[in-house]
Amino acid sequence: MTAKLQVSSLNAWFSTTQALKNINVEVAANRVLAIIGPSGCGKSTFVRCLNRMHELLPGARSEGRVLLDGEDVYSKALDPSTLRRRVGMVFQRANVFPTLSIRDNVLSGLKLNRVKKNYQEVLERTLRQTALWDEVKDRLSSDATQLSGGQQQRLCIARALAVEPEVLLMDEPASALDPIATAKIEELIDELKSRYTIVIVTHNMQQAIRISDFTAFFCMGELIEQGATKQLFTKPEKQQTEDYVTGKFG
Amino acid sequence: MKMRVHSAVRRVVNWGMTGLCLTAVLMALMPLGSILWLVVSKGARSLSISFLTELPAAVGESGGGVGNAIVGTLYLVVLAGLLGLPLGVGAGVYLAERGAGRLGSAVRFTAEVLGSVPSIVVGVVAYGLVVATMHRFSALAGGLALGILMVPTLARATEEMVRLVPHTLREASLALGVPAWRTTLSIVLRTAWGGILNVALLGIARAAGETAPLLFTSLNNQYWNFRPDQPTASLTVQIFNYAISPYEDWQRKAWGSALVLLLLVGLLSLLAHFTRRRSAI
Ligand SMILES: Nc1ncnc2c1ncn2[C@@H]1O[C@H](COP(=O)(O)OP(=O)(O)OP(=O)(O)O)[C@@H](O)[C@H]1O
Ligand SMILES: [Mg+2]
């Protein structure tokens, strides 16, 4: 089976500080890869390299290869916008469009890319998937900023789902959510697996165990260990991994 | 004991400072208030339906109005907006998004210099560009002069507004696969639009109050004019002509026109105040 995403010798910098050091990872299609590791270890930087968001920051650059279906995402022939339509992203901090309504926020990816769809159907489906429909169905035209932080985060997930990417990058999507909404999102991820490949950053070990097939443990910009989630959490090969997953450090 | 003295002193100082601030505010408002009072009290007598809608009467004839000058001012301001808005907003967006390089500093410097050029000089430029080549005074020349005057402030304000848009919004849009140029237009500019429109309306209001650059560009006109290649009446030039005339009736009309202009500009500023609204895709 060929990998959906194949990362080899990936290095990333912010100006002179190196945030990622020689990362090699593969993600198979329709699988969930969880990225865990202490704060500041480069998890966000890693996922942002996969859809070329990293290079947009001033002074940021990266090196190495990222293959999507065997195609180099950093090749000049591939337009970054085309890539980003195939590799969607939910950011660590909710970033709804403040000037747009709830409805237009969800549909923004389709409308701005001039994609014609049954908007109402997309709207209801994605909002139901993110457990937001019942909370917002009566005020779809009001400002997205009127929603609570957790609702805004789910709106961002709905917005990413609406464009139907092949790969979904989620950077701590549940960090601002209560247990019920978190459970809904985890359910959603399970359901999405059949159609999408998912890379999810999480600080919650239990969540990683519940939702992921594979886990990669990062520390100080390096990939310490990766493997099947069950394996990594029960019989880690490295002492550092064991210390982290058992809560002795990090 | 010491504490109580302390807090008493503090209270006195507090009152004193509040009093000083209030005095400063009153002193700043006084000129504004007296101008308003003068214009309203002297101009209100001339106001009537016919004053607002009729053409000016000849010397000695009673009655007549400044209808053509009101329309002329609006016409000039619209022309100025059509020329100045795209240029000013475009330059501002460029400066905010791509203005880090050498061309950016050049544009910024040019805008700064242009901003400090006296308006009458801008009028001369419009004269040279339009009036001299077309061999006649025209609304177009006046609109161009006012339009050029709007550009520098508009560019700087737009740059500021666009810079205020958080980077995370740009990222959100780019991550959806929206190309950079459309992100700028549809997300960044749209988010900043309320502020830009606000500044634009204030700029238009200011342009409506300009006299000097109009004296030798749009000149004046005794009749209605809707053609861009013809001289056009404007409130400011009309006020100027009426005010320096020896006739008492005309001087009264100058006050009346001033009041009309004040109301017009006030209305625009008020409009600017209410421009922050949500938009849709
Ligand atoms: N914009 C930036 N400029 C400079 N350095 C940055 C920037 N963003 C992140 N870094 C640095 O890069 C390293 C990796 O950051 P990153 O955001 O990838 O960490 P993370 O693993 O996602 O952490 P967290 O769990 O707190 O979100 C950190 O040392 C951080 O200080
Ligand atoms: Mg992070």
Side-chain angles (χ1 to χ4, degrees), chain A residues 48 53 56-57 81 84-85 91 95-101 104 108-109 111-114 141 143 159, chain B residues 167-180 182 186-187 190-192 277-281:
Chain A
R48 292 170 58 95
M53 292 303 291
L56 295 175
L57 296 171
S81 343
R84 291 178 193 132
R85 252 169 270 169
F91 291 83
N95 50 5
V96 300
F97 297 124
T99 53
L100 299 182
S101 64
D104 278 345
S108 54
K111 287 190 172 179
L112 292 174
N113 284 318
R114 305 288 184 270
S141 303
D143 276 0
R159 182 176 67 186
Chain B
H167 187 68
T168 51
L169 291 188
R170 242 167 280 232
E171 284 194 331
S173 172
L174 291 170
L176 289 167
V178 181
R182 194 174 274 158
S186 299
I187 297 299
R190 194 162 256 155
T191 306
R277 268 190 341 183
R278 185 158 54 73
S279 48
I281 301 182

Side-chain angles (χ1 to χ4, degrees), chain A residues 14-15 17-20 37-46 57-58 92 171-172 201 203:
Chain A
F14 288 101
S15 307
T17 56
Q18 190 164 5
L20 290 178
S39 185
C41 67
K43 303 183 296 295
S44 295
T45 309
F46 173 71
L57 296 171
Q92 188 163 1
D171 197 348
E172 296 186 47
V201 176
H203 273 292

Side-chain angles (χ1 to χ4, degrees), chain B residues 72 75-76 79-80 83 130 134 136-145 214 217-219 225-233:
Chain B
Y75 189 45
L76 284 171
L79 280 177
L83 294 167
V130 183
M134 287 173 60
R136 65 159 80 98
F137 297 103
S138 64
L140 187 66
L144 179 68
L214 297 181
T217 50
S218 57
L219 196 69
N225 170 52
F226 297 97
R227 284 180 53 176
D229 61 341
Q230 293 297 323
T232 292

